[in-house]
C-alpha cells in the first residue's frame, strides 16, 4: 500500500483510494454490515475533520477502511460519532 501522504500530493482520485481500501479489507474478517458501513460513511461525509473526502484528520485513516472494521470507533476527540449507529 502506498503512503497516504504521497497519494494526496499526487491528487489521486477517490476511485484509486477505494481500490487500495478494498485491497486492505480483503485481509480483514471483523467487518460491519453494508448498511452499517454506509451509515458510518454518511457521518464521516458530514464531519469537518474529513480531509480530501478520504481521510480522517484525527487518526490519519482512510475513512472507507476504518468505517468497515467492526472493532474500530470514530476517533473524533471526546465524541464517538458512530456510537448512535
Amino acid at each position: 500500500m502506498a503512503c497516504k501522504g504521497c497519494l494526496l500530493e499526487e491528487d489521486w482520485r477517490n476511485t484509486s483510494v477505494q481500490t487500495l481500501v478494498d485491497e486492505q479489507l480483503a485481509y480483514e474478517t471483523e467487518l460491519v454490515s453494508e448498511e452499517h458501513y454506509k451509515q458510518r460513511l454518511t457521518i464521516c461525509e458530514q464531519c469537518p475533520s474529513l480531509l480530501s473526502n478520504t481521510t480522517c484528520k484525527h487518526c490519519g485513516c482512510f475513512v472507507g477502511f476504518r468505517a468497515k472494521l467492526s472493532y474500530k470507533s470514530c476517533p473524533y476527540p471526546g465524541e464517538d460519532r458512530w456510537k448512535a449507529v
Side-chain angles (χ1 to χ4, degrees):
M1 180 175 217
C3 168
K4 291 184 291 187
C6 295
L7 293 175
L8 295 175
E9 288 178 15
E10 295 174 12
D11 194 27
W12 279 37
R13 298 181 332 182
N14 285 343
T15 53
S16 297
V17 170
Q18 188 61 49
T19 299
L20 294 172
V21 168
D22 290 344
E23 289 173 0
Q24 289 300 303
L25 286 174
Y27 299 102
E28 298 291 339
T29 58
E30 297 181 47
L31 305 175
V32 297
S33 69
E34 193 63 24
E35 181 180 336
H36 196 160
Y37 176 64
K38 288 178 181 177
Q39 290 173 335
R40 284 180 166 189
L41 287 182
T42 298
I43 292 169
C44 290
E45 289 168 359
Q46 298 168 356
C47 182
S49 301
L50 180 64
L51 304 174
S52 301
N53 291 322
T54 60
T55 306
C56 174
K57 81 173 187 180
H58 300 294
C59 66
C61 295
F62 287 134
V63 295
F65 180 71
R66 188 179 183 98
K68 190 68 176 171
L69 301 173
S70 62
Y71 55 89
K72 293 289 187 182
S73 60
C74 168
Y76 196 88
E79 177 186 0
D80 180 354
R81 294 181 164 202
W82 296 342
K83 194 172 188 173
V85 294

